Amino acid sequence: ENIKSCHKCLISLSGIHTVIDSSYKFIPDRGLQYLEFSTSNTCNQTCVTCDSYFSTKWQKLEHLFGRGAVKTYRFSEDDIDKIIEVLPGLKELQLKGGEPLMDIRNVQILDALSKVNPECKVIICTNGQNISRTFLDVIKKNPKQYVIAVSIDGINEIYNWIRGGDWNKTIITMQKIYDETEIVFDINPCISAFNLSHLREIYDFFIDKSYAKNNFRLYNIVTSPEWASPMHIYHQEQLDKVVSGQFNDIRDKIDCEALYQMKSTYNPEIYEQYIQNTKIMDKIRRFSINEN
């Protein structure tokens, strides 16, 4: 509350659930206990809901969508040293991106953490497209320390179109990590106008997989860019029909209440942007999402 920039952020988050409000117990007056960061915006996917601020692969595509490209950024060695300094006091550390499994400096941080604070919970949010031997080896030192959430926005060609990655590579990587560490993944869909009608397919695919948790959660709903948000693209009756048609029979088994609570803010101008940008991405992907 006493740091100007922190206070401004705290006010902007008023009413929004964050880790501050979670049941996770932090100890007063014990210094920094929760830390999340992105060491760089280096990434190996071009998710349609993303941009070059979070993915370097978007830099050459931004002009097609009328946006300027954000340059590649990376934490300095001094930045990494500052992170390593605070590791002993942390209770929870979250690695974000870009794609955190692409930045070898994260290995340096996790290796240091395993030595000075093996009880610290580590959350990694990844697209799961690939993992290096070096990264896998550091995770294997203490697998119980890790929670790994994999961003899955569809299966097969829906996944390939939305994320610009390779579905098969992601599944192979997940199986590889599970085989070597026994880590069971959180499945983390990013819910957009492009996959709202395909979410049940994700649930059905992973429900019997040994490497995926059964606590399926559907709450990460896109609000930006507006043309990718289902709330701006669907009318209310369409939202209700699409959601109920997929989840009424399993509503009590999964965390999907955020879907049922969506309120349409349909805007014809934004809908037209959605149509035009879908066509642009169809050309980039070299196939149409509407064929799937």
Side-chain angles (χ1 to χ4, degrees), residues 200 203-204 244-253 260:
R200 180 60 182 264
Y203 171 85
D204 289 342
S244 62
Q246 293 180 85
F247 297 110
N248 271 5
D249 63 323
I250 57 171
R251 186 171 178 177
D252 61 337
K253 298 178 181 179
Y260 283 88

Side-chain angles (χ1 to χ4, degrees), residues 39-239:
T39 51
S40 75
N41 61 344
T42 302
C43 190
N44 51 9
Q45 290 189 336
T46 53
C47 303
V48 67
T49 55
C50 196
D51 56 39
S52 54
Y53 185 85
F54 298 102
S55 171
T56 48
K57 288 201 72 175
W58 257 101
Q59 290 168 341
K60 294 182 179 180
L61 301 179
E62 292 284 27
H63 71 282
L64 299 174
F65 295 82
R67 304 184 304 212
V70 175
K71 295 181 180 180
T72 302
Y73 63 83
R74 288 167 53 88
F75 277 11
S76 68
E77 289 305 313
D78 285 344
D79 295 330
I80 302 299
D81 289 342
K82 288 177 183 178
I83 291 171
I84 291 175
E85 282 181 21
V86 302
L87 293 180
L90 295 183
K91 298 188 74 173
E92 185 170 319
L93 171 69
Q94 182 162 183
L95 303 184
K96 305 175 83 171
E99 169 47 47
L101 297 185
M102 284 191 68
D103 196 327
I104 198 66
R105 275 101 48 82
N106 281 324
V107 174
Q108 179 184 352
I109 293 167
L110 294 178
D111 185 51
L113 183 68
S114 69
K115 297 172 182 176
V116 300
N117 190 356
E119 299 301 317
C120 178
K121 179 180 179 181
V122 179
I123 301 174
I124 299 178
C125 184
T126 175
N127 60 39
Q129 189 76 156
N130 197 8
I131 187 168
S132 68
R133 184 74 254 170
T134 305
F135 229 117
L136 193 53
D137 284 344
V138 76
I139 292 174
K140 286 176 65 177
K141 289 182 178 181
N142 190 9
K144 293 181 180 180
Q145 189 173 19
Y146 290 87
V147 174
I148 302 181
V150 184
S151 300
I152 302 288
D153 296 347
I155 68 170
N156 297 315
E157 291 302 288
I158 297 295
Y159 174 95
N160 294 343
W161 191 96
I162 292 175
R163 302 195 65 84
D166 186 322
W167 165 255
N168 292 322
K169 285 184 178 181
T170 296
I171 297 305
I172 290 170
T173 300
M174 292 173 72
Q175 186 68 60
K176 178 180 180 180
I177 296 173
Y178 174 75
D179 289 344
E180 296 203 32
T181 67
E182 297 186 351
I183 291 174
V184 181
F185 300 99
D186 288 330
I187 305 302
N188 188 26
C190 183
I191 301 161
S192 70
F194 304 103
N195 68 355
L196 185 66
S197 61
H198 297 280
L199 297 174
R200 180 60 182 264
E201 298 166 14
I202 305 174
Y203 171 85
D204 289 342
F205 179 88
F206 285 105
I207 190 61
D208 62 349
K209 299 298 185 292
S210 58
Y211 54 80
K213 294 179 182 177
N214 289 331
N215 58 334
F216 200 63
R217 298 177 297 171
L218 293 166
Y219 59 85
N220 185 18
I221 302 172
V222 171
T223 57
S224 178
E226 291 182 330
W227 48 263
S229 171
M231 292 177 289
H232 293 313
I233 306 307
Y234 286 79
H235 293 285
Q236 189 63 50
E237 58 270 24
Q238 293 173 315
L239 288 174

